Amino acid sequence: MKPLNQTLLLISLAAGSWLTACKPNNAATAISGDAAVKAYVPPGKYDEFYNFVSGGFSGQLSVYGLPSGRLLRVIPVFSVDPEKGYGYSENTKAMLNTSHGFVPWDDLHHTELSQTNGEIDGRWVFANANNTPRVARIDLKTFRTAEILELPNSAGNHSSPFITENTEYVVAGTRFSVPTGDNQDVPIASYKQNFKGSLSFISVEPTTGKMDIAFQLQTPGVNFDLSHAGKGPSHGWFFFSCYNSEQANTLLEVNASQRDKDFILAVNWKKAEEYLKAGKGVKKASKYSRSHYDEKTHQATNEIMNEVTVLDPAVLKDICYFIPCPKSPHGCDVDPTGEYIVGSGKLAALLPVFSYTKIQKAIADKAFDGEFEGIPVIKYEAALYGEVQKPGLGPLHTEFDGKGNAYTSFFVSSEIVKWNIKDLKVLDRVPTYYSIGHLCVPGGDSRKPNPKYVIAYNKITKDRYLPTGPELAQSAQLFDISGDKMQLILDFPTIGEPHYAQAVSADLISKNSTRIYKIDENANPYVSKGEKETKVVREGNKVHVYATAIRSHFSPDNIEGVKLGDEVYFHVTNLEQDWDIPHGFAVKGANNAELLIMPGETQTLKWVPEKAGVYPFYCTDFCSALHQEMSGYIRVSAP
Ligand code: CUK
Ligand code: CUA
């Protein structure tokens, strides 16, 4: 057995025994004193923070209140959601269209709130799709997915959707390099010659938020993992961790974890912008799609685009620089001052902290150790500020408190470690239950963290909750960090698998939250602005039912004249103008889902009846004392 395999084995064995060794006898050993009071939000009172938590392979995003851990909302992004009709209604289907057709699932790992001057501004939250590479923008006025942009020349969109400090760009980096030539049907073993990575810089229009691929950087075929933008002095730079610098086409440890160091890639995106302006980009035929949900027409549209502009950093020498980083780096985090960049080698027994100032000096002095695939490699010592020695096992991610401290998650030793950036000394450590992945301090990757809590998002739940069969809800844990020592105050279950999450002061979002859609502003082509406007219109074999819903009836509620072979479109407008009064709509036998229609909105359900007969329909959302009466019949006759 190769030495490396032994190391890995030891690490995994250590993880196993650690779990049993340090397991508390009961919850009381892990939680103490005034913890319950600190997490207590009295009934009827609001939480202090919103917590936006990625839903992993559920394709959704969930929203919790902190410190209570109350689940406030599940937002469907890359997956259909029958509760809200998302992906089922005619209005929303186009959101999930891609160049591969309708893709109603994905793996959502990271959430990133929009920023102005390096501070969270509460306008949008971005989310990535790993599998069919996409980036979504969710509007925090409505808590709905407003836009989804597909990424060409990309696979495994993991290093995403991290942003620059004025939301100039959202970036997206490939986890899987792929063949990018015209002929993509090449032997897998030709990885080194034919496979390339890409970094997409997605521009965000400042007022509307509309996303577009400004340019892509074509990179060597490595695996990009995570990234963060520079800030303050390092604004204009972006830092990406990458592994598999061996460029192996099979990621067995012996192949892909051989080298002592992989890389962090430092990207000068301001320079890239200059080259773009100077016409140094190459137009490349690339098919991808963009979906947008319009708040006035209440409809999604989808367009297919055919071209991106690509810059090649191996030709344009001063855009990209590799910095060696020990052993399969994962997290790549920039502190609030913008000076320090923390790399987390999953298999390393130390944490390297790089200095932006030293990186600049190394570039000016050409302190290089040759090139990797045409890109200069800065000498490790020339970029290094220092190393945190023996911090824990399996470092993954780091967040900051804005008071000079960093909080790093350790998957293998299952703990959060607090350390000081200046002197690189460990200050405190707390166990997590169990095997933490990401962690979050409110604003913890921005210029202005709110150092009140750190939340752990754990990979393994084991004995923390009542058994629910073979699988348990994944667990988040809330720690108070206002004192010198971290204190566990709450466990709460999450939706799907949580990876990255962000939290923000509630008042930044709650005051702008949409209460209703104004019915006068409803520009849906099938709207009925009052019961007098309702009607049934036949167009060939399509039957359009223009309907309204208001407490507690539908209009029309008896529909006849539909023939077998017809396609029926129920266009239901909710006439309510009160906050939190949606109506639902479902018809017997419909093989998709329901509609859930917000006040002032129009939504459309398509239904193709398969037999003659009379079919009831009804409101699915308990809306008034006469909700059970809110129903009707549609008759389908033989042709
Ligand atoms: S990854 Cu999940 S624990 Cu996809 Cu951000 Cu590190
Ligand atoms: Cu409308 Cu129930």
Side-chain angles (χ1 to χ4, degrees):
M1 195 186 268
K2 295 241 158 70
L4 178 82
N5 279 356
Q6 281 170 4
T7 324
L8 286 174
L9 190 69
L10 283 174
I11 288 177
S12 49
L13 285 175
S17 52
W18 194 93
L19 284 182
T20 19
C22 294
K23 204 185 85 185
N25 295 330
N26 57 52
T29 58
I31 189 160
S32 62
D34 53 352
V37 174
K38 287 183 173 172
Y40 184 67
V41 178
K45 290 278 183 270
Y46 287 167
D47 275 291
E48 191 184 345
F49 295 94
Y50 285 100
N51 187 197
F52 297 92
V53 183
S54 62
F57 44 76
S58 78
Q60 299 169 329
L61 184 74
S62 50
V63 187
Y64 296 83
L66 295 178
S68 73
R70 296 190 281 216
L71 174 63
L72 303 177
R73 184 95 187 142
V74 175
I75 305 174
V77 184
F78 302 112
S79 63
V80 293
D81 181 357
E83 182 195 12
K84 302 169 187 78
Y86 180 82
Y88 293 101
S89 68
E90 293 306 294
N91 312 57
T92 53
K93 278 180 184 169
M95 290 305 286
L96 298 169
N97 273 346
T98 70
S99 68
H100 302 273
F102 185 70
V103 181
W105 171 85
D106 222 297
D107 189 8
L108 190 164
H109 281 216
H110 305 125
T111 55
E112 182 86 338
L113 289 152
S114 56
Q115 294 185 5
T116 304
N117 296 323
E119 293 179 30
I120 293 171
D121 61 23
R123 297 199 292 166
W124 306 303
V125 59
F126 298 89
N128 70 319
N130 266 334
N131 190 53
T132 300
R134 285 171 281 180
V135 167
R137 178 173 54 85
I138 293 109
D139 189 333
L140 293 180
K141 284 200 179 84
T142 60
F143 282 58
R144 280 178 157 178
T145 305
E147 197 179 8
I148 293 181
L149 182 71
E150 191 185 358
L151 302 163
N153 311 313
S154 176
N157 174 38
H158 193 263
S159 187
S160 168
F162 301 101
I163 60 165
T164 53
E165 63 181 358
N166 287 300
T167 320
E168 294 96 337
Y169 295 107
V170 174
V171 304
T174 39
R175 171 164 160 225
F176 304 122
S177 288
V178 283
T180 58
D182 289 336
N183 177 19
Q184 304 192 350
D185 175 15
V186 297
I188 298 168
S190 73
Y191 188 106
K192 277 195 180 137
Q193 301 89 275
N194 290 322
F195 286 44
K196 294 285 175 204
S198 80
L199 302 173
S200 302
F201 281 74
I202 300 162
S203 60
V204 180
E205 208 281 317
T207 47
T208 62
K210 189 174 184 217
M211 298 187 290
D212 224 331
I213 301 176
F215 60 92
Q216 286 188 325
L217 298 177
Q218 177 171 300
T219 70
V222 292
N223 298 36
F224 288 103
D225 207 12
L226 284 146
S227 53
H228 267 100
K231 38 176 99 87
S234 55
H235 180 70
W237 288 76
F238 226 103
F239 304 93
F240 296 85
S241 60
C242 60
Y243 58 101
N244 189 24
S245 53
E246 297 80 359
Q247 298 186 287
N249 47 286
T250 149
L251 293 187
L252 296 175
E253 300 91 34
V254 292
N255 295 327
S257 305
Q258 263 172 0
R259 292 167 63 121
D260 193 42
K261 293 198 172 63
D262 287 287
F263 294 120
I264 282 177
L265 182 68
V267 176
N268 184 342
W269 58 260
K270 287 269 186 197
K271 197 81 197 175
E273 280 181 336
E274 285 171 24
Y275 283 127
L276 194 69
K277 272 209 194 96
K280 301 281 187 202
V282 177
K283 300 245 186 272
K284 181 171 177 182
S286 307
K287 200 171 161 200
Y288 64 101
S289 91
R290 173 167 56 206
S291 304
H292 174 246
Y293 191 81
D294 186 304
E295 290 291 336
K296 294 277 185 269
T297 63
H298 306 284
Q299 278 181 324
T301 48
N302 179 258
E303 53 185 327
I304 297 286
M305 264 86 70
N306 293 303
E307 194 178 77
V308 291
T309 304
V310 178
L311 296 169
D312 186 346
V315 176
L316 307 165
K317 289 281 182 194
D318 51 355
I319 303 178
C320 289
Y321 302 88
F322 279 116
I323 303 165
C325 185
K327 295 254 167 236
S328 301
H330 188 59
C332 180
D333 299 289
V334 181
D335 90 310
T337 69
E339 168 63 13
Y340 302 103
I341 300 118
V342 181
S344 299
K346 298 191 290 285
L347 305 178
L350 55 82
L351 275 176
V353 180
F354 299 99
S355 150
Y356 174 71
T357 312
K358 287 188 77 176
I359 292 169
Q360 292 311 303
K361 183 159 187 312
I363 293 169
D365 297 349
K366 297 212 171 351
F368 299 147
D369 215 350
E371 290 188 340
F372 179 80
E373 304 274 313
I375 293 173
V377 178
I378 296 175
K379 289 200 172 102
Y380 179 66
E381 286 74 19
L384 188 72
Y385 170 71
E387 294 169 341
V388 186
Q389 293 297 333
K390 298 212 169 65
L393 288 177
L396 293 186
H397 300 285
T398 300
E399 291 265 286
F400 304 91
D401 66 3
K403 300 191 291 189
N405 302 312
Y407 297 77
T408 301
S409 58
F410 289 83
F411 175 80
V412 176
S413 54
S414 191
E415 59 187 335
I416 298 176
V417 174
K418 175 184 177 182
W419 52 278
N420 182 270
I421 304 171
K422 268 263 136 53
D423 62 16
L424 305 169
K425 291 271 181 306
V426 170
L427 302 173
D428 189 25
R429 54 179 76 234
V430 284
T432 57
Y433 306 96
Y434 303 93
S435 298
I436 181 175
H438 275 274
L439 76 180
C440 153
V441 171
D445 77 340
S446 74
R447 283 176 77 169
K448 208 170 165 201
N450 186 333
K452 209 160 179 180
Y453 304 112
V454 64
I455 309 108
Y457 302 93
N458 302 327
K459 298 300 181 193
I460 296 166
T461 305
K462 293 275 183 206
D463 51 5
R464 296 300 282 185
Y465 300 131
L466 284 173
T468 50
E471 196 195 12
L472 288 97
Q474 305 214 21
S475 191
Q477 295 188 291
L478 181 71
F479 297 82
D480 178 355
I481 57 167
S482 57
D484 287 343
K485 298 281 168 200
M486 295 177 270
Q487 184 195 8
L488 175 61
I489 56 178
L490 184 75
D491 277 11
F492 61 98
T494 64
I495 303 284
E497 181 186 354
H499 294 260
Y500 192 39
Q502 291 198 324
V504 58
S505 280
D507 50 13
L508 208 54
I509 290 175
S510 58
K511 62 175 189 287
N512 298 322
S513 199
T514 298
R515 269 30 178 199
I516 58 159
Y517 296 99
K518 292 203 180 95
I519 189 88
D520 320 335
E521 292 174 6
N522 183 325
N524 185 283
Y526 302 103
V527 66
S528 311
K529 293 196 176 175
E531 286 183 11
K532 288 206 183 75
E533 293 181 17
T534 61
K535 59 194 170 186
V536 178
V537 178
R538 173 177 287 282
E539 270 172 26
N541 73 332
K542 292 187 168 61
V543 176
H544 293 277
V545 180
Y546 292 71
T548 57
I550 193 162
R551 282 163 287 180
S552 295
H553 57 275
F554 289 107
S555 172
D557 67 352
N558 280 200
I559 302 162
E560 300 204 347
V562 176
K563 298 268 178 290
L564 205 57
D566 285 344
E567 288 174 0
V568 181
Y569 293 84
F570 296 100
H571 307 290
V572 187
T573 301
N574 179 351
L575 295 176
E576 306 284 352
Q577 292 287 272
D578 284 332
W579 188 22
D580 195 30
I581 308 289
H583 292 286
F585 179 86
V587 59
K588 186 188 174 195
N591 63 2
N592 41 12
E594 61 160 356
L595 297 175
L596 191 66
I597 315 135
M598 298 304 128
E601 183 180 63
T602 305
Q603 293 281 309
T604 299
L605 190 74
K606 179 183 174 184
W607 177 56
V608 185
E610 80 279 23
K611 256 184 17 197
V614 172
Y615 296 81
F617 57 83
Y618 76 103
C619 170
T620 53
D621 187 333
F622 206 113
C623 50
S624 73
L626 294 175
H627 156 79
Q628 286 297 81
E629 282 76 359
M630 194 165 173
S631 60
Y633 290 108
I634 181 164
R635 178 181 170 196
V636 178
S637 307

